Amino acid sequence: MDRIVVCGSLDFTREIGKIRRSLERMGFEVVIPKTSEMILDGDVSFERILQEKSSGDIVDRAIELDPLSYYYDAIRNSDKVLVINLTKNGVEGYIGGNVLIEMGYAHALNKPIYLWNEIPELPYRDEIQIMQPKVIDKDLSKLE
């Protein structure tokens, strides 16, 4: 069974949950962001996370959960990485700072990287292109 790590903004949590279910039906073992999993499991509300982001308290949660170390381990032990890049803040195909870091780590480990949508028009577009992710245009059957 292939293990796939799904990366994406917390704002995409609901979509990540739907995609996780589809990937599991396809036979993948799926890892999603820890906070997204907590939201989907009902352990914390999305609204509370938004409040924490707004107040800056999200930093305390992140320090406590250490999601970067958790995700680095997940990526190291995965077969591939799927980036869910939807529209956020008016940017189609948005990829934020944490996801860019995760992609860079996956690239350094020679893990195949897949993008849900096209590479966004962001100041670090070149860096994303250098990693040569494969755009799957919302079609999970394109995962190799």
Side-chain angles (χ1 to χ4, degrees):
M1 174 185 308
D2 274 358
R3 185 171 201 219
I4 189 165
V5 172
V6 178
C7 302
S9 169
L10 281 177
D11 290 359
F12 307 153
T13 292
R14 287 172 182 40
E15 293 83 356
I16 288 171
K18 292 175 190 173
I19 293 165
R20 173 180 63 178
R21 287 189 295 279
S22 295
L23 289 167
E24 288 171 342
R25 283 192 298 273
M26 293 171 68
F28 285 99
E29 179 184 342
V30 184
V31 178
I32 66 171
K34 196 180 280 189
T35 303
S36 290
E37 189 164 345
M38 292 171 64
I39 292 168
L40 293 169
D41 290 347
D43 296 331
V44 66
S45 72
F46 184 69
E47 292 71 25
R48 173 141 182 219
I49 296 298
L50 290 179
Q51 289 172 346
E52 289 179 3
K53 284 175 84 172
S54 175
S55 70
D57 291 339
I58 195 78
V59 174
D60 293 332
R61 177 184 294 280
I63 290 170
E64 180 183 328
L65 295 176
D66 195 11
L68 288 178
S69 293
Y70 166 79
Y71 240 50
Y72 286 173
D73 288 341
I75 290 167
R76 184 172 35 283
N77 296 310
S78 73
D79 297 296
K80 54 193 73 165
V81 172
L82 172 61
V83 174
I84 307 304
N85 60 325
L86 305 172
T87 300
K88 179 178 174 179
N89 301 331
V91 177
E92 291 183 31
Y94 177 84
I95 294 173
N98 277 348
V99 174
L100 182 65
I101 292 168
E102 292 160 357
M103 289 176 68
Y105 185 66
H107 177 72
L109 294 173
N110 294 313
K111 303 290 180 176
I113 303 169
Y114 298 88
L115 296 182
W116 189 248
N117 287 303
E118 292 292 329
I119 297 173
E121 292 297 331
L122 291 167
Y124 41 90
R125 178 182 172 86
D126 292 349
E127 287 79 1
I128 296 170
Q129 288 176 312
I130 290 166
M131 291 184 250
Q132 302 176 41
K134 180 175 181 185
V135 177
I136 64 169
D137 293 316
K138 304 176 190 107
D139 183 354
L140 295 175
S141 71
K142 292 182 179 178
L143 296 172
E144 299 171 350

